[in-house]
Amino acid sequence: MVVGGGIVGLATAYALTRSRPGTRVVVLEKEPAPARHQTGRNSGVIHSGVYYRPGSLKARYAVRGAAEMVKFCAEHGITHRVTGKLIVATERDELPRLHALVQRGRENGIPVRELGPAQIAEYEPHVAGLAAIHVGTTGVCDYGAVAGELVRLVTAAGGEVRCGAEVTAVDRRPGVGVAVRTAAGEVVRARALVNCAGLHCDRVARLAGDAPPVRIVPFRGEYHELVPVRSGLVRGLVYPVPDPAFPFLGVHLTRGVDGSVHVGPNAVPALAREGYRRSTVRPRDLAGTLGHPGVWRLARRHWRYGAGEVRRSLSKAAFTEAVRRLLPGVGEDDLVPAPAGVRAQAVGPDGTLVDDFLITEAPHTVHVLNAPSPAATASLPIGREVARRALAALDTVR
């Protein structure tokens, strides 16, 4: 049983059907259709893996997953483009971090090319910077379409994807397996449960009787788009040099598969786990966030960074100012609001933002407790790893 019909849950179900044909697999998704949250609300980037610590799960799975995602899209007729991207330094104090990214990319086996201002203009004539690196393996695709194809493949292999099936209770019996109850009163039994519930994964872990070492804290990522007549300002993908203290990558420019140019996101605390609008407040979610000691430690440590993100959220002028660091020719009138996303960020009790994918195990269960970006890129290898652990758990019940 896989709880969660986002791209990681579906990739896990797909891997289960391929690893052990004949295994009965059911995916339980609370929404009316799959991929309604992180999978369907991102900029569609196929990440190269250049940012991530060598040897980490993110580095290994992103590098492997990027190649596999391009191949999967090509084989299944899903729109995608391998565009490459620029990571651009606009201030002198960013240059050491840019050079560190060059080294990190090479350690991760990623081809990177260092560029000066004239070479930046060859790739992106309207982008300004002191120096940049070009990462050729980055691209874009339609992750919603990828999720839809995974549903088709799982179903064709005999699996089942049930939508409108929100898990509200879990009963785990050692040596037997698990039974879950849905909001509709349905009871579903399995020998092993995989928790890929994204924004609600820590809650599902607690329903199963486990004590997750982290709390999910939602961060809303707010996007704008360039108006169509100005979309020619950006040819491909342009990123700033990221702040090493945060797993968020900063306001960047992304030309999607449909030709539109997304600008963003910022990262502001959301007042609900599914808080896609500023006005969305859910007291239970907010109480859970504020009741976690790690949140207060995080806030004390990084309040200046957070204040800047909130300022850019509330002020279009401030947001535009941040964009103009990379794209000087853009004005406020060139930007229009686009749908927001919410990042399910795991935070430890000490206030640490969990930087790597986090997968834990307990009897009859596997919990995916931190899988934000680049999880969509890395979903196929993540799915295989989670499936491997789930099958090992299943074998202990036989």
Side-chain angles (χ1 to χ4, degrees), residues 268-295:
V268 296
L271 305 182
R273 295 208 181 194
E274 297 172 18
Y276 298 109
R277 298 177 183 273
R278 292 178 195 154
S279 58
T280 303
V281 181
R282 293 186 179 171
R284 179 194 175 201
D285 292 353
L286 185 56
T289 296
L290 297 179
H292 184 52
V295 169

Side-chain angles (χ1 to χ4, degrees), residues 13-34:
Y14 173 61
L16 286 165
T17 62
R18 287 169 62 88
S19 298
R20 190 171 296 178
T23 301
R24 292 182 61 194
V25 178
V26 61
V27 179
L28 303 181
E29 166 55 46
K30 75 181 183 69
E31 301 294 350

Side-chain angles (χ1 to χ4, degrees), residues 117-275:
Q119 294 165 308
I120 293 173
E122 293 175 10
Y123 286 98
E124 295 284 355
H126 302 285
V127 169
L130 300 177
I133 60 176
H134 180 260
V135 186
T137 53
T138 306
V140 288
C141 72
D142 181 347
Y143 283 120
V146 173
E149 182 63 12
L150 289 171
V151 170
R152 187 189 71 79
L153 293 169
V154 169
T155 303
E160 185 181 358
V161 179
R162 299 185 194 177
C163 294
E166 180 179 1
V167 172
T168 57
V170 179
D171 179 24
R172 179 172 55 191
R173 300 188 179 182
V176 178
V178 295
V180 308
R181 184 181 297 277
T182 71
E186 180 185 21
V187 175
V188 185
R189 293 178 173 84
R191 292 204 302 262
L193 179 149
V194 174
N195 168 16
C196 295
L199 287 160
H200 305 281
C201 62
D202 56 340
R203 289 176 173 168
V204 172
R206 286 193 293 272
L207 286 177
D210 296 319
V214 294
R215 177 75 54 86
I216 294 298
V217 176
F219 285 87
R220 186 174 58 256
E222 296 164 335
Y223 289 92
H224 285 73
E225 284 185 6
L226 288 180
V227 295
V229 295
R230 298 288 278 167
S231 64
L233 290 173
V234 179
R235 290 178 175 178
L237 309 177
V238 184
Y239 280 67
V241 179
D243 186 326
F246 291 88
F248 313 113
L249 298 176
V251 173
H252 50 272
L253 314 170
T254 306
R255 177 175 284 275
V257 292
D258 62 356
S260 64
V261 177
H262 270 68
V263 183
N266 58 4
V268 296
L271 305 182
R273 295 208 181 194
E274 297 172 18

Side-chain angles (χ1 to χ4, degrees), residues 11 75-76 89 91 146 163 179 197 202 224 230 265 275 297 299 311 345 385:
E75 290 179 348
H76 296 280
E91 304 288 342
V146 173
C163 294
D202 56 340
H224 285 73
R230 298 288 278 167
R297 295 185 176 107
R311 176 173 172 265
Q345 176 63 52
E385 172 61 18

